[in-house]
């Protein structure tokens, strides 16, 4: 592992989250896959159908796709899930840098890639948070390792990810966002 990977793994183990820059974290081939995914997203976001959908997000009646009204996923972009032969995130997430972090975090060399999603989340100004936009606890697994890669600069006013450090099960801040929904979907 590089020094940056070691730092990311240490932060993740300590408090449940780590942040880095893809250009500091990935090797040259990983940067190539990152750029391929960026071009894939840009290409599909420019289609007339997607432009219309994104423009609708700023109206009182946004168009809904397969999933949440506020996101465009791979089914919206290409009509199906991502595949290895696409210039999408799958080859990127299969880079040794990510797998090494997952294996180190889980202390298990048999980690598997479970779910690769690509989303475009256009601006949704003046809309209340809904569903997974609200504070929630992911309930898929108590020790899951998620990787979020942003393809543009994110600021607080652009809907950056928020995470409460030390909020994993058994940690000191777990009580701050309790799982209150009896159905277990995690949305508060």
């Amino acid at each position: 592992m590089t020094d940056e990977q070691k730092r990311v793994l240490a932060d993740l183990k300590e408090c449940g989250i780590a942040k880095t820059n893809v250009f500091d974290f990935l090797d040259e081939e990983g940067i190539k896959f990152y750029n391929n995914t960026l071009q894939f997203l840009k290409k599909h976001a420019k289609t007339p159908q997607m432009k219309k959908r994104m423009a609708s997000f700023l109206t009182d009646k946004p168009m809904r796709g397969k999933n949440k009204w506020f996101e465009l996923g791979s089914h919206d972009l290409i009509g199906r899930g991502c595949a290895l032969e696409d210039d999408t995130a799958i080859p990127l997430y299969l880079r040794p840098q990510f797998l090494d972090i997952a294996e180190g975090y889980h202390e298990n060399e048999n980690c598997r890639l479970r779910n690769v999603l690509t989303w475009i989340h256009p601006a949704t100004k003046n809309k209340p948070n809904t569903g997974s936009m609200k504070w929630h606890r992911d309930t898929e697994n108590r020790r899951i390792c998620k990787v979020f890669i942003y393809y543009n600069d994110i600021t607080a006013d652009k809907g950056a990810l928020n995470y409460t450090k030390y909020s994993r099960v058994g940690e000191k801040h777990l009580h701050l966002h309790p799982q209150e929904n009896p159905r277990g979907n995690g949305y508060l």
Side-chain angles (χ1 to χ4, degrees), residues 15-35:
C15 63
I17 191 167
K19 294 184 258 182
T20 188
N21 183 304
V22 292
F23 299 104
D24 296 333
F25 185 76
L26 293 171
D27 60 12
E28 190 174 318
E29 189 173 5
I31 297 298
K32 180 185 88 172
F33 287 122
Y34 169 85
N35 287 325

Side-chain angles (χ1 to χ4, degrees), residues 36-135:
N36 288 349
T37 305
L38 176 60
Q39 294 311 312
F40 170 86
L41 293 170
K42 283 182 176 182
K43 171 186 164 189
H44 291 286
K46 289 180 182 178
T47 65
Q49 177 187 359
M50 290 301 104
K51 284 182 175 184
K52 183 178 179 182
R53 216 119 159 253
M54 285 189 271
S56 83
F57 290 176
L58 299 174
T59 70
D60 289 335
K61 294 186 181 187
M63 296 169 61
R64 187 173 181 89
K66 182 175 178 359
N67 294 308
K68 303 165 187 165
W69 68 264
F70 54 86
E71 75 182 16
L72 300 170
S74 62
H75 283 274
D76 300 304
L77 296 169
I78 59 174
R80 59 178 169 73
C82 297
L84 279 171
E85 61 272 6
D86 296 324
D87 282 333
T88 62
I90 293 176
L92 174 59
Y93 282 105
L94 288 173
R95 299 298 308 143
Q97 293 89 348
F98 294 117
L99 297 176
D100 289 348
I101 294 294
E103 290 171 354
Y105 180 66
H106 290 288
E107 298 176 357
N108 181 335
E109 292 184 10
N110 294 315
C111 290
R112 291 183 174 83
L113 185 64
R114 181 174 152 225
N115 199 3
V116 175
L117 303 172
T118 55
W119 298 314
I120 295 176
H121 281 230
T124 55
K125 293 180 180 178
N126 303 318
K127 300 264 191 281
N129 285 346
T130 181
S132 63
M133 294 168 86
K134 293 181 179 182
W135 276 106

